[in-house]
Amino acid sequence: MPIQGFASSAIIDELTGVLTSLSADDRKKEVAKTKAVYAFEVVNSQGQKHYFVVDLKQAGKVTDGTTEAEAAKGQPKPDISITVNDETFIKISEGKTTAAGEFMSGKVKIKGNMMLGMKLEPLLKRFKKLAESLPPPSAAPASAPTPTTETAASPQGIVIKGYEGSLVIAQILKAFGTDDTKRDAVLKKTNAIFQIDLKGPEGVKSWVLNLKPGATGADIVLPGTAAQNKKNAGVTLILSDSDFVDLAAGKITGQSAFMAGKLKSKGNVMLALKLESVLKAAKGPAAKL
C-alpha cells in the first residue's frame, strides 16, 4: 500500500500486485527465475527510513516495516541488502540510471551478493511487464458496474484517497494475498463473506472481504459491493471510516460500536466478532494517505 513520504513504495506495490495476482504455480515459476531474497532500506528526503523484504526465493511474498527487524519477520535471510534513497530507487526502476552506476557514486550501498545488485534493473523491468500484462488481481465480473479510476481493482486501487479505512482493507490483502498458508488458516477459521460499507468524504464506499475456504490471493479482497462481485455476503457492516479505523486499532469493539449505534449491520451480526480477529491477524505497520 502507499506509504506516506516514500514515493518509491509504488515500486514495491507493483511487485506485490504481480505476486498476488499470479496463481500459486505461476508464482513459484517467477520465484524460480530469481532465487534470491532482496532487502531494501529506503531513505526519503526527510531522512526517514522504511524497510522492505522481497522474497523471490521461497514463498514469493513481500513484507515491510519501519524497522529492519519488523520487515524481516517471517522472511528468509536476505541474499542482498540494498540501501538507497527514495528518489534514486525511482530512477533505477524507470531505467534512468543503474544500480551499478549509483553504487559507484555512493548513492547505493550493497551488502551481500553484489551480482544480485546488478540484476536489480532487469528484475524490476520484468515485473513491470508482468504488471502491464496481467488483469487486475480482483477485477469485478464483466457484467458488474465498472469501478471508477480511483477504485479500480488492484492492490493500489483498493486504497481510496480520503478513506483511512481503505488502508486497513489493503493491509488484509497484503497480509493474506501471497501467503497461502496464512490465508488458508484465516479462511478456515472465518468461513464468511463480509461487505464493508464505509461512510466518508465522498459518500459510502464498499469492499468485499471474501474469507471463505477456496478464496485466492486474487479475490480475497474485492472493491465494490457483494452484488457487483456476484458474492453472497453473510453480513454487511455499515460504519464511518473513522470508526472502522478505530475498530481495526482495537480502540473500540464491534459490540460496543453496535450498542452505541456506530455500527449497523445487515445479516448475521455475530460475524462482526470474527472480523475483529481477522483485523487483528492482518494488523501491520501504520500508514497514512
Side-chain angles (χ1 to χ4, degrees):
M1 68 180 67
I3 298 171
Q4 187 179 37
F6 291 85
S8 62
S9 64
I11 301 168
I12 305 297
D13 269 349
E14 185 172 66
L15 198 153
T16 303
V18 170
L19 292 173
T20 302
S21 298
L22 294 173
S23 66
D25 287 341
D26 286 341
R27 189 160 61 244
K28 287 178 182 178
K29 291 177 183 178
E30 286 302 321
V31 167
K33 293 178 183 178
T34 307
K35 296 180 180 179
V37 179
Y38 283 79
F40 296 93
E41 178 186 77
V42 181
V43 185
N44 68 11
S45 57
Q46 285 75 46
Q48 299 170 321
K49 297 179 180 180
H50 204 86
Y51 299 83
F52 304 91
V53 177
V54 181
D55 170 19
L56 294 174
K57 191 175 189 178
Q58 295 182 17
K61 67 177 183 178
V62 180
T63 54
D64 74 292
T66 55
T67 66
E68 188 173 4
E70 185 177 33
K73 188 176 181 180
Q75 290 278 43
K77 182 179 178 181
D79 297 291
I80 180 172
S81 296
I82 299 173
T83 300
V84 60
N85 68 55
D86 198 40
E87 182 180 2
T88 299
F89 196 11
I90 292 173
K91 288 181 178 179
I92 292 172
S93 74
E94 293 176 343
K96 294 180 179 179
T97 186
T98 64
E102 297 302 336
F103 174 75
M104 296 300 292
S105 70
K107 291 184 178 180
V108 170
K109 296 180 181 179
I110 297 176
K111 293 180 182 179
N113 189 332
M114 294 289 292
M115 291 305 297
L116 291 175
M118 305 305 106
K119 295 179 180 179
L120 180 60
E121 299 96 77
L123 173 67
L124 295 175
K125 186 176 181 180
R126 188 174 95 233
F127 273 87
K128 183 176 285 294
K129 285 185 177 180
L130 281 171
E132 293 171 352
S133 65
L134 287 170
S138 51
S143 58
T146 303
T148 63
T149 301
E150 269 194 327
T151 59
S154 69
Q156 298 94 332
I158 284 171
V159 176
I160 300 176
K161 186 177 181 180
Y163 290 76
E164 293 286 335
S166 67
L167 292 171
V168 176
I169 292 169
Q171 181 62 34
I172 294 174
L173 174 61
K174 183 177 180 180
F176 306 124
T178 59
D179 191 326
D180 296 340
T181 300
K182 191 174 182 180
R183 180 174 64 253
D184 289 345
V186 78
L187 296 182
K188 183 178 179 180
K189 184 177 180 180
T190 309
N191 190 26
I193 297 177
F194 301 82
Q195 178 174 313
I196 310 296
D197 289 352
L198 300 185
K199 294 177 286 185
E202 295 183 10
V204 176
K205 300 292 183 181
S206 302
W207 295 262
V208 173
L209 304 182
N210 181 18
L211 303 178
K212 277 199 167 187
T216 68
D219 68 357
I220 193 170
V221 176
L222 301 164
T225 65
Q228 287 173 335
N229 289 288
K230 294 187 177 179
K231 299 291 183 183
N232 184 20
V235 65
T236 297
L237 301 177
I238 308 153
L239 65 167
S240 71
D241 181 59
S242 60
D243 285 335
F244 183 64
V245 172
D246 287 345
L247 179 65
K251 295 180 180 179
I252 60 174
T253 66
Q255 184 176 2
S256 65
F258 183 76
M259 295 299 291
K262 294 181 177 181
L263 170 64
K264 295 182 180 180
S265 67
K266 297 177 183 178
N268 187 351
V269 68
M270 294 305 294
L271 291 177
L273 301 178
K274 289 190 175 184
L275 180 60
E276 288 182 67
S277 297
V278 173
L279 294 172
K280 185 176 180 181
K283 193 174 182 181
K288 292 187 178 295
L289 292 170

